[in-house]
């Protein structure tokens, strides 16, 4: 790879590493998974496989691009000198992984600038679902693909015809607030889905499997790759501050505005309560 790689070259590297990492995650899942640690609460778990898969990804990136920055869920941030940072979630959807659900993914995003969604410039993103072998990929400004075929976000005609994915945090207070937000949405949209992997929820918006995905408090590694895929498929990304925590909305353009207004109003009501 050249000293100044193209976005496509970076996506190629991300895809190769993510596929290898997904194979390792799937093997470890087949062998059986045990909780190695807990983070924000008793239900916010880390498995030994999370750490092993991130180590593999980190090592492969370091070998190919030793001067780039790195931000991983399990190992934290390392500053680089090239302006490029790799933002990695080794197993997004760890609880699903623990329980044997197929809704988990390896997520590798490539950005320029600080590893903060409010400041970075997206370059490329790859999300691989080990249980199905599905590979979602995009370069910023280019098409999004699923297993090599172009994918496009949906175009619901109204909020009443909008299928919305969401997720929940791991602390009791955050969950109570998120459930209160749902109460403000359920009567206005088609239905709600809860998959358990932010990366795959973003990709679901990209394929039109859902019309929108919103969540308050997701981390940079949860959405770095999926955001590129969703945006490249034509989805709109909206973000705002809600009670000191950032909210994210990935939505079909036809309903992004009214859905953002609805979610913001529901969040404001929930936070007042």
């Amino acid at each position: 790879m050249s000293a100044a790689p193209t976005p496509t070259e970076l996506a190629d590297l991300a895809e190769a590493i993510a596929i290898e990492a997904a194979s390792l995650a799937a093997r470890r899942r087949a062998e059986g998974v045990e909780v190695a640690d807990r983070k924000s609460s008793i239900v916010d778990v880390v498995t030994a496989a999370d750490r092993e898969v991130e180590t593999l990804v980190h090592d492969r990136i370091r070998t190919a691009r030793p001067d780039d920055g790195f931000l991983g869920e399990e190992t934290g941030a390392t500053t680089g000198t090239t302006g490029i940072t790799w933002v990695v979630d080794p197993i997004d959807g760890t609880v699903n992984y623990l329980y044997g659900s197929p809704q988990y993914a390896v997520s590798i995003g490539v950005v320029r600038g600080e590893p903060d969604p409010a400041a970075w410039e997206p370059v490329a993103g790859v999300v691989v679902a080990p249980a199905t072998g599905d590979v979602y990929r995009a370069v910023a400004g280019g098409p999004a693909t699923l297993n090599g075929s172009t994918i496009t976000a949906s175009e619901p005609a109204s909020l009443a015809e909008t299928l919305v994915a969401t997720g929940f945090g791991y602390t009791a207070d955050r969950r109570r607030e998120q459930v209160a937000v749902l109460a403000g949405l359920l009567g206005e949209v088609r239905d709600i889905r809860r998959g358990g992997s932010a990366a795959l929820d973003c990709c679901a918006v990209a394929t039109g499997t859902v019309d929108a995905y919103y969540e308050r408090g997701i981390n940079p590694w949860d959405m770095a790759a999926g955001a590129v895929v969703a945006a490249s498929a034509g989805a709109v990304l909206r973000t705002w501050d809600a009670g000191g925590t950032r909210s994210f909305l990935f939505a079909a353009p036809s309903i992004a505005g009214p859905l953002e207004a609805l979610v913001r109003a529901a969040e404001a009501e929930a936070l007042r309560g």
Side-chain angles (χ1 to χ4, degrees), residues 24-49:
L24 174 60
R27 289 200 308 274
R28 294 295 181 259
R29 174 59 255 181
E31 293 166 0
V33 177
E34 294 183 1
V35 173
D37 200 357
R38 290 173 171 84
K39 294 186 283 188
S40 63
S41 73
I42 194 170
V43 296
D44 187 6
V45 298
V46 178
T47 70

Side-chain angles (χ1 to χ4, degrees), residues 159-187:
L159 282 181
E161 299 166 272
T162 299
L163 185 63
V164 180
T166 192
F168 300 103
Y170 287 106
T171 64
D173 288 345
R174 175 68 57 79
R175 287 182 168 187
R176 290 187 190 100
E177 292 169 356
Q178 289 167 322
V179 169
V181 172
L182 282 184
L185 299 187
L186 279 171

